[in-house]
Amino acid sequence: MKAFVFHGAGQSAWEEVPDPAIKEPTDAIVRVGAVTICGTDLHILKGDVPEVRPGTVLGHEAVGEIVETGSAVRTVRPGDRVLVSCISACGRCAYCRQGTYGQCRADGGWILGHLIDGTQAEYVRVPYADLSVHPLPAAMDSKDAVLFADIFPTSYEVGVLNGRVRPGDTVVVVGAGPIGLAAIATAQLFTPERIIAVDLAAARLEAARKLGADAVADARETPEQLVADLTDGLGADVVIEAVGVPESFELCTRMVRPGGHVANVGVHGSPATLHLEDLWIKNVTITTGLVDTYSTPTLLRMAAAGRLPTAQLVTHTFPLGRMEEAYDVFARAADTGALKVVLGEERHEAVAVRAV
């Protein structure tokens, strides 16, 4: 089969690799119908995630069809159309028993495209299939569904829920890429008073407005002053970091009010300074986190009911074989206007069922 393979920092290729095979009775093999590229994949290509070994197939988000299952798989079978979650969960370890699937101790957690071969391929082996794939409604388009493999549960769980967004809050989202935009969309479920988006790219700030941001600010133009002006000098109740660079994290800590929350979602490849000389007295809560994906079934139901925006986030589509071009477009988002790119969009028909 063909797959997108990491060969070391700055080196990758769409090339031929061996087909995956069942290794454990809990595995499933999925024929990939639609896949996307994550900002984390760009961090890997830069060398920011040293655990990824050269020769690894990248990717941790996909929609596809089950083609084979191990003998212990009970919840899906060949022919089922499924969402492949970015998190693999054994369901039995201490963390999985409390729904913290991202910390699975039985060789689970974030492993696809990280510790084992991932989804940016024609086929993928998915460990612990019973808890790591989700059957999809027939009417849900693949390009919409694939957004629920990672960005929607990540932004919702690690950003909105960890940040404890409440009605009437002022919420600032630093970084209006796909994760930040999904955070804006899901924060609105809690009816905050206002949402402010901060980014460097005018196109992304405009996308944030369309998704519900009440105000936007260029990151180069002292956004902390705008936040202060809108909150009578108090600062934001919740600040969500969705970039993953030291400057954006430190900006978040300057914009949060006493008693507020900073929810870090971004993947950091270098240290950031924690200014405890300023923060120690402010009763600020700072959270970090890897998504657990416990919210994925709920989010899928909401999307199927039309309660979450998806179409606005997908800006580019490609055949699966144009993976290298898609990476180039996604990596140059400031020039291309890319938000989320989807490859190999699967086509299917919704079947009307007539009552007998």
Side-chain angles (χ1 to χ4, degrees):
M1 71 172 184
K2 288 292 188 72
F4 189 69
V5 182
F6 172 71
H7 289 295
Q11 301 176 65
S12 58
W14 177 252
E15 61 189 45
E16 204 164 277
V17 300
D19 291 348
I22 297 289
K23 293 183 178 180
E24 302 290 342
T26 51
D27 290 349
I29 305 298
V30 176
R31 179 189 295 116
V32 174
V35 69
T36 184
I37 301 170
C38 180
T40 304
D41 297 321
L42 300 183
H43 281 282
I44 292 170
L45 290 179
K46 289 194 298 182
D48 288 347
V49 188
E51 299 86 2
V52 182
R53 295 172 298 184
T56 301
V57 176
L58 295 188
H60 50 267
E61 307 158 89
V63 168
E65 180 184 326
I66 300 283
V67 295
E68 186 180 359
T69 58
S71 60
V73 175
R74 296 289 181 266
T75 61
V76 291
R77 60 186 180 181
D80 286 350
R81 180 168 167 267
V82 297
L83 172 72
V84 178
S85 175
C86 65
I87 297 296
S88 302
C90 77
R92 296 186 177 185
C93 72
Y95 281 110
C96 283
R97 284 178 178 272
Q98 60 188 20
T100 314
Y101 306 124
Q103 303 300 323
C104 175
R105 306 307 295 169
D107 299 320
W110 173 40
I111 55 174
L112 290 172
H114 179 208
L115 304 179
I116 67 172
D117 286 340
T119 59
Q120 290 169 5
E122 294 175 323
Y123 294 86
V124 59
R125 178 180 73 92
V126 182
Y128 304 120
D130 278 334
L131 283 174
S132 305
V133 300
H134 301 271
L136 288 172
M140 182 176 285
D141 286 344
S142 295
K143 70 178 185 300
D144 298 330
V146 76
L147 303 181
F148 294 87
D150 185 354
I151 67 164
F152 268 98
T154 293
S155 61
Y156 181 61
E157 294 176 19
V158 185
V160 175
L161 296 184
N162 279 4
R164 297 189 181 181
V165 175
R166 297 176 299 182
D169 277 356
T170 291
V171 178
V172 177
V173 178
V174 177
I179 289 285
L181 294 173
I184 290 169
T186 52
Q188 292 174 73
L189 300 173
F190 294 87
T191 60
E193 179 182 359
R194 63 176 67 89
I195 299 174
I196 304 166
V198 179
D199 202 281
L200 293 169
R204 291 192 164 189
L205 292 176
E206 180 58 28
R209 281 192 184 277
K210 290 179 179 178
L211 279 168
D214 302 287
V216 299
D218 189 310
R220 293 162 292 205
E221 298 178 359
T222 60
E224 52 264 64
Q225 186 58 56
L226 171 63
V227 173
D229 290 344
L230 291 174
T231 59
D232 295 325
L234 283 175
D237 299 280
V238 181
V239 187
I240 297 173
E241 199 283 339
V243 181
V245 298
E247 296 80 4
S248 61
F249 175 79
E250 293 168 31
L251 172 62
C252 289
T253 63
R254 294 197 299 271
M255 291 191 292
V256 68
R257 70 173 61 192
H261 290 75
V262 174
N264 183 89
V265 187
V267 177
H268 289 264
S270 57
T273 301
L274 180 62
H275 288 284
L276 286 175
E277 74 278 11
D278 298 323
L279 295 171
W280 73 270
I281 201 171
K282 295 178 69 175
N283 291 17
V284 170
T285 299
I286 298 174
T287 57
T288 65
L290 175 66
V291 65
D292 293 313
T293 65
Y294 61 82
S295 68
T296 301
T298 298
L299 293 171
L300 282 172
R301 289 197 304 271
M302 294 179 68
R307 301 297 186 184
L308 289 172
T310 52
Q312 297 175 64
L313 292 175
V314 178
T315 54
H316 296 73
T317 58
F318 299 87
L320 196 60
R322 289 167 60 186
M323 185 70 69
E324 292 172 339
E325 180 184 351
Y327 259 92
D328 178 64
V329 168
F330 186 63
R332 296 187 301 106
D335 300 321
T336 63
L339 293 175
K340 206 66 173 161
V341 302
V342 174
L343 296 100
E345 181 183 349
E346 185 179 47
R347 298 198 179 277
H348 65 282
E349 300 294 333
V351 178
V353 178
R354 186 179 61 184
V356 178

